Amino acid sequence: MGWQGARVARFADWNAKRGAAGGKLCPSAARTLVGCCLRRTMPGLIELSKELQKRGVGLVVLGQGIDTSTAVGRMFFQILGAIAEFEHALMPERTMDGLEAARARGRTGGQKPKLGPRQVQLAREMYDSGELTVQQIADEFGVTRPTNHRHLSKVPSQSQEPA
């Protein structure tokens, strides 16, 4: 038995000793597992459910009112699992569709530039004059030095342009 099996057995023992209903004795407490966050993936939950079924322990999902000790509960558990897996598989597709629709409306993602085109041109002129340091120019426009460098690197220096 791996660590997961031991964990399941400990949950079952805990429920059997204390009762499945929060400390109150329950007639099926010895055969019902009540826990939260047992598995994060649907295949893991299904595997856990099958392992518990082999041991004669039922799994009760309190949030959805599912009891896997009955045939209807097992069927409902499987159906909800399939739907959850399907929804999870659709997420990337929906995200890409949303981004494509946003681009079609002229919207792009990311943060807006800190400096506008006119401010970048002024910053370049100040830098090319040699009178101010990059830090002083950055302070003048209320941005950091790396941001100033990033914007300055996009605009060619006026002294570099051919005559």
Side-chain angles (χ1 to χ4, degrees), residues 1-18 33-34 55:
M1 169 187 333
W3 71 271
Q4 292 171 337
R7 186 171 158 193
V8 167
R10 281 198 305 272
F11 271 126
D13 290 344
W14 184 86
N15 284 328
K17 289 177 188 170
R18 289 171 183 78
L33 174 65
V34 178
R55 295 174 181 223

Side-chain angles (χ1 to χ4, degrees), residues 63-79:
Q64 284 80 26
I66 301 171
D67 182 1
T68 62
S69 63
T70 66
V72 173
R74 283 191 299 277
M75 180 196 68
F76 196 60
F77 183 71
Q78 294 284 337
I79 290 171

Side-chain angles (χ1 to χ4, degrees), residues 19-48:
K24 298 176 186 162
L25 283 176
C26 176
S28 62
R31 299 180 51 131
T32 304
L33 174 65
V34 178
C36 67
C37 305
L38 296 174
R39 293 287 192 278
R40 294 197 181 271
T41 64
M42 197 58 214
L45 275 173
I46 291 170
E47 177 189 332
L48 174 66

